Amino acid sequence: MNLSTKIFLAGHRGMVGSSILRLLNSQGFEDVITENRNTLDLKDTAAVELFFKNHKPEIVILAAAKVGGIQANIDAPVDFLLENLMIQNNVITSAFKYNVKKFLFLGSSCIYPSNANQPIKEDQLLTGTLEPTNEGYAIAKIAGIKLLNYYSRQFNFKSISLLPCNLYGTNDHFDLKVAHVLSSLVKKFSDAVTEGASSITLWGTGIAKREFMHVDDMAKAVLLFMQNDFEVEVLNIGWGNDISIKDLAEKIALLTNYKGIINWDSTKPNGMLKKCLDVSKASSLGFQPSILLEEGILKTIQEYRKLQSNIS
């Protein structure tokens, strides 16, 4: 591929998609196609097929998905399963029909079994029971990965699925119903400081461990594996180390200058207790994230506070 290759980036307004778009633009890619929801509903089979027929992209990056936090997934599993299945099926089948040269699919580490061995290797996919709190979303993502695998094996359709650890960063939602873990904590502690709150209550017990990577590092991974052809179908993307939610909360409290008490609501779910990826395969292929956790947290705090000052 070269800078004039026609690329369709689906989901360019989301946290991951917008980061990918910024990187593609900065690298000088000249023909990146994006569509808003009001001009292209990816759940509409006919509309998606017409789009591919008219535009005929050479590369597709599918960053579009219905996403949300633990409570949103618990409340609306039908929505998370069905909407993501529709988006994936439409985009993948049309991409194949209209001869896309390479398809890059963004999955999630939540597709692994809740009792997976740690750190989690790619071959543990479909070896156990999923975490119940986001099962609908996970099943949809697994279906997307397997559909691409089958297209590859049956028709030699070139694709790769990247499975990131927990992401955070620029252009994340700070709505607590849909925000990612780290951004949710940044909002809660920042708001507590602004409001002069003496205590804050967080979900779970804090013992769950998660691996965090800034979204701009994820965009670099997308660019690397879009530009290069490796004989791999599924690939973990992350740092390969994790931190407890309790330690993360205390770190964010320190960086936001929160001085109050942190309470934990043990009636709320922790989710999967440990989820750390084995990233040795991605590392061997040349990917290494660079934005350290404290640096990324500080950047996210600054972005949230700037957003709040603009609103006020």
Side-chain angles (χ1 to χ4, degrees):
M1 63 174 295
N2 53 53
L3 295 180
S4 62
T5 298
K6 185 177 288 188
I7 302 168
F8 173 40
L9 172 58
H12 72 288
R13 285 190 161 184
M15 180 181 70
V16 180
S18 61
S19 180
I20 296 169
L21 182 60
R22 288 193 302 272
L23 183 58
L24 291 176
N25 289 337
S26 72
Q27 294 294 310
F29 286 90
E30 302 163 0
D31 199 355
V32 181
I33 309 166
T34 60
E35 292 284 346
N36 298 324
R37 289 181 184 177
N38 59 346
T39 59
L40 178 62
D41 181 358
L42 296 178
K43 301 189 300 296
D44 185 331
T45 303
V48 172
E49 181 168 355
L50 182 61
F51 169 84
F52 274 86
K53 181 179 180 180
N54 290 338
H55 292 278
K56 294 184 174 59
E58 300 168 80
I59 302 275
V60 171
I61 302 170
L62 182 52
K66 179 176 176 60
V67 297
I70 290 179
Q71 192 60 56
N73 274 270
I74 292 172
D75 291 343
V78 170
D79 299 349
F80 283 92
L81 176 60
L82 195 56
E83 289 189 29
N84 283 306
L85 284 175
M86 288 191 289
I87 291 169
Q88 295 163 189
N89 291 347
N90 288 339
V91 177
I92 292 170
T93 55
S94 285
F96 171 73
K97 182 174 181 179
Y98 290 96
N99 302 310
V100 164
K101 294 179 179 178
K102 187 171 184 180
F103 196 107
L104 194 146
F105 181 74
L106 295 185
S108 168
S109 60
C110 76
I111 68 172
Y112 287 116
S114 58
N115 62 347
N117 296 326
Q118 304 287 328
I120 307 171
K121 292 180 179 289
E122 289 89 348
D123 61 10
Q124 290 192 68
L125 182 61
L126 292 176
T127 61
T129 304
L130 298 168
E131 164 58 39
T133 54
N134 57 15
E135 186 181 72
Y137 177 78
I139 288 173
K141 285 296 183 180
I142 292 170
I145 291 167
K146 298 308 288 185
L147 181 58
L148 285 168
N149 290 353
Y150 298 152
Y151 265 117
S152 175
R153 295 169 196 178
Q154 187 172 344
F155 301 109
N156 200 30
F157 184 58
K158 189 177 292 185
S159 68
I160 184 170
S161 296
L162 303 185
L163 310 183
C165 63
N166 286 61
L167 299 175
Y168 70 96
T170 306
N171 204 30
D172 195 2
H173 292 284
F174 288 101
D175 179 345
L176 295 180
K177 293 181 179 178
V178 295
H180 296 86
V181 176
L182 191 147
S183 298
S184 295
L185 292 174
V186 165
K187 173 179 170 57
K188 288 182 178 180
F189 281 107
S190 296
D191 288 353
V193 171
T194 300
E195 296 162 6
S198 59
S199 67
I200 187 172
T201 300
L202 304 177
W203 274 32
T205 62
I207 64 170
K209 287 190 170 185
R210 291 291 182 270
E211 177 182 2
F212 295 95
M213 183 174 69
H214 194 279
V215 68
D216 287 350
D217 278 329
M218 184 62 205
K220 293 174 186 175
V222 168
L223 183 61
L224 173 66
F225 294 106
M226 181 185 77
Q227 290 181 302
N228 297 278
D229 291 330
F230 299 106
E231 294 300 319
V232 60
E233 292 182 330
V234 178
L235 198 60
N236 290 338
I237 303 294
W239 279 96
N241 54 64
D242 56 16
I243 183 173
S244 73
I245 300 300
K246 181 177 183 294
D247 288 345
L248 177 68
E250 291 174 353
K251 185 181 289 289
I252 294 174
L254 179 65
L255 294 173
T256 54
N257 201 33
Y258 173 74
K259 306 291 187 183
I261 297 168
I262 302 174
N263 297 312
W264 295 92
D265 183 357
S266 60
T267 67
K268 301 296 185 182
N270 285 306
M272 194 167 166
L273 286 183
K274 186 173 175 64
K275 189 168 60 173
C276 186
L277 299 178
D278 183 320
V279 296
S280 56
K281 189 178 292 186
S283 180
S284 71
L285 296 174
F287 175 71
Q288 178 63 42
S290 61
I291 301 173
L292 299 175
L293 184 59
E294 185 165 316
E295 176 190 353
I297 292 172
L298 283 170
K299 186 176 181 182
T300 305
I301 292 169
Q302 291 166 359
E303 289 168 344
Y304 177 67
R305 287 177 171 168
K306 181 178 180 180
L307 179 67
Q308 291 304 101
S309 64
N310 289 340
I311 292 173
S312 59

